[in-house]
Amino acid sequence: MQAMEPDEKYLYKYKGFYFQPDLTPVECLDTLEDFEIRDSDVFLFTYPKSGTVWTENILSLIYHEGHRDGTENLNLLDRFLSLEFNIRKMDYASCPSPRLFASHLPYYLVPKGLRNKSAKVVYVVRNPKDVLVSNYHFSKTAVTLEEVEDFGIFMERFLAGKVLASLWLDHVEGWFSHRDDFNILFLTYEEMKKDLRSSVLKLCNFLGKRLTEKEVDAVVEQATFNKMKADPRANFEFLPPDIIDHSKGHFLRKGTIGDWKNTMTVAQNERFDSVFKERMEKLPIKFCWDINDEL
Ligand code: A3P
């Protein structure tokens, strides 16, 4: 099955990468290369549906004491800045340090100042079958994305990279093969899910943040799926209805490893492997496909 070209109303290509016209204007992308970086900046990069909001929450809990002890009533949009989705048209130059940014950009479109390695970069990767299924469900709730009812058609688009953020393999391969250009920490969604505390400690260590045992406990507790789902500051239910149709599903949907098995048929799984397996085997990541698998 040949995947159709994406509808231009929902996606357009800029330097070989798919963006959403409603959320990322070309003028914004044109300025990113020279975007001024501060040494204290922290950047989170992900392919969509890999645990971006989860990691944003963890990073902001690590950084903001008030949030950790529950005295700050800020939602995630106020705590994290989005590099290419500046929906609120904020002036990032006037934001206080340390600035925390999230982005889905591929390595080759990021601000060039990141290559002097002073600012810290975190990249989170998730197994691509769960990414695919999460994306499929998300496309139904996201008003700015084209809704594709048929999962088989959606999967072909994903395998052909004709989706937001283009081909998963290119994104992940690109970031891994250029890791020496950045001051970067790689984490997997699966290790976060299986051992959240170790992942939080890994992040603290990389960021040079010394938290007490009690503070680490507070981060871990507030970053679990159930806690985030119930926390209006973290669950993305605050996104406006012109971005998310909350009646069609929740942003924090399943939050587990292996949910792809509930959507993909055996034949679809085989088709997926036939397209992705060879390149995936060359990636320096051990993937985990089920919540019961060892890491
Ligand atoms: P599912 O759709 O599989 O549930 P992103 O933020 O990159 O868009 O990723 C969204 C995915 O991360 C969703 O996956 C969401 O449920 C999951 N997620 C968000 N917070 C999480 C948490 N605290 N624990 C586990 N998964 C989480």
Side-chain angles (χ1 to χ4, degrees):
M1 201 194 311
Q2 182 81 28
M4 267 170 43
E5 288 308 312
D7 185 334
E8 285 174 8
K9 180 170 169 252
Y10 295 101
L11 290 178
Y12 75 99
K13 234 178 198 177
Y14 176 91
K15 299 190 180 169
F17 194 76
Y18 279 119
F19 291 95
Q20 294 173 272
D22 289 349
L23 298 181
T24 310
V26 177
E27 308 81 69
C28 157
L29 293 170
D30 283 340
T31 62
L32 283 182
E33 196 183 348
D34 293 318
F35 183 81
E36 214 167 304
I37 305 288
R38 298 181 195 154
D39 289 359
S40 56
D41 288 341
V42 178
F43 285 82
L44 167 66
F45 290 104
T46 58
Y47 186 87
K49 312 318 288 175
S50 302
T52 324
V53 170
W54 186 13
T55 318
E56 284 180 15
N57 195 37
I58 295 172
L59 290 171
S60 99
L61 285 163
I62 290 175
Y63 270 87
H64 298 295
E65 209 180 308
H67 206 73
R68 238 181 280 143
D69 68 20
T71 55
E72 253 172 29
N73 198 18
L74 290 179
N75 71 41
L76 264 178
L77 277 191
D78 291 309
R79 292 184 270 145
F80 240 87
L81 308 171
S82 172
L83 208 49
E84 74 275 22
F85 300 105
N86 189 357
I87 335 171
R88 295 159 143 204
K89 315 249 177 307
M90 283 166 75
D91 174 19
Y92 291 162
S94 63
C95 292
S97 298
R99 298 178 303 182
L100 306 178
F101 289 99
S103 166
H104 296 314
L105 288 177
Y107 78 95
Y108 65 89
L109 288 181
V110 303
K112 58 177 186 292
L114 274 179
R115 289 170 193 261
N116 76 15
K117 300 192 184 177
S118 51
K120 295 191 165 71
V121 173
V122 175
Y123 186 87
V124 177
V125 57
R126 183 183 192 186
N127 90 55
K129 293 179 188 171
D130 280 328
V131 167
L132 159 65
V133 168
S134 180
N135 253 306
Y136 168 67
H137 291 290
F138 182 64
S139 74
K140 297 176 185 213
T141 64
V143 179
T144 54
L145 289 172
E146 184 180 357
E147 183 176 348
V148 180
E149 202 43 60
D150 185 298
F151 176 76
I153 293 175
F154 189 87
M155 183 175 95
E156 287 306 322
R157 289 195 187 177
F158 182 85
L159 294 176
K162 292 176 179 176
V163 287
L164 175 66
S166 298
L167 188 65
W168 179 91
L169 279 167
D170 288 343
H171 204 277
V172 176
E173 264 177 18
W175 274 103
F176 272 93
S177 58
H178 288 83
R179 57 187 176 274
D180 292 342
D181 298 348
F182 303 97
N183 180 5
I184 192 165
L185 173 76
F186 287 97
L187 276 182
T188 65
Y189 177 100
E190 290 76 18
E191 68 178 303
M192 286 163 60
K193 183 72 194 173
K194 290 217 155 236
D195 190 349
L196 186 51
R197 194 183 173 83
S198 296
S199 304
V200 169
L201 289 172
K202 235 186 214 182
L203 281 165
C204 288
N205 197 29
F206 174 66
L207 300 164
K209 300 291 288 180
R210 286 179 169 272
L211 266 55
T212 63
E213 286 283 305
K214 228 171 129 198
E215 288 169 333
V216 173
D217 289 344
V219 175
V220 173
E221 206 214 317
Q222 289 175 67
T224 60
F225 183 79
N226 288 339
K227 254 285 159 55
M228 272 182 67
K229 200 169 166 74
D231 183 351
R233 296 167 305 185
N235 64 15
F236 262 43
E237 304 285 322
F238 52 78
L239 282 181
D242 57 337
I243 295 192
I244 298 280
D245 181 347
H246 296 288
S247 68
K248 292 195 175 161
H250 296 287
F251 190 87
L252 280 105
R253 194 183 58 90
K254 291 273 181 79
T256 192
I257 309 167
D259 181 53
W260 59 273
K261 293 176 190 164
N262 296 317
T263 299
M264 292 171 78
T265 63
V266 172
Q268 284 166 340
N269 186 35
E270 282 169 3
R271 162 83 183 136
F272 188 106
D273 286 344
S274 74
V275 181
F276 263 39
K277 209 169 174 189
E278 205 179 314
R279 279 175 74 184
M280 279 191 66
E281 279 172 356
K282 297 197 182 105
L283 288 169
I285 315 164
K286 191 174 172 293
F287 284 96
C288 173
W289 303 100
D290 188 276
I291 190 76
N292 298 314
D293 286 354
E294 298 252 321
L295 270 181

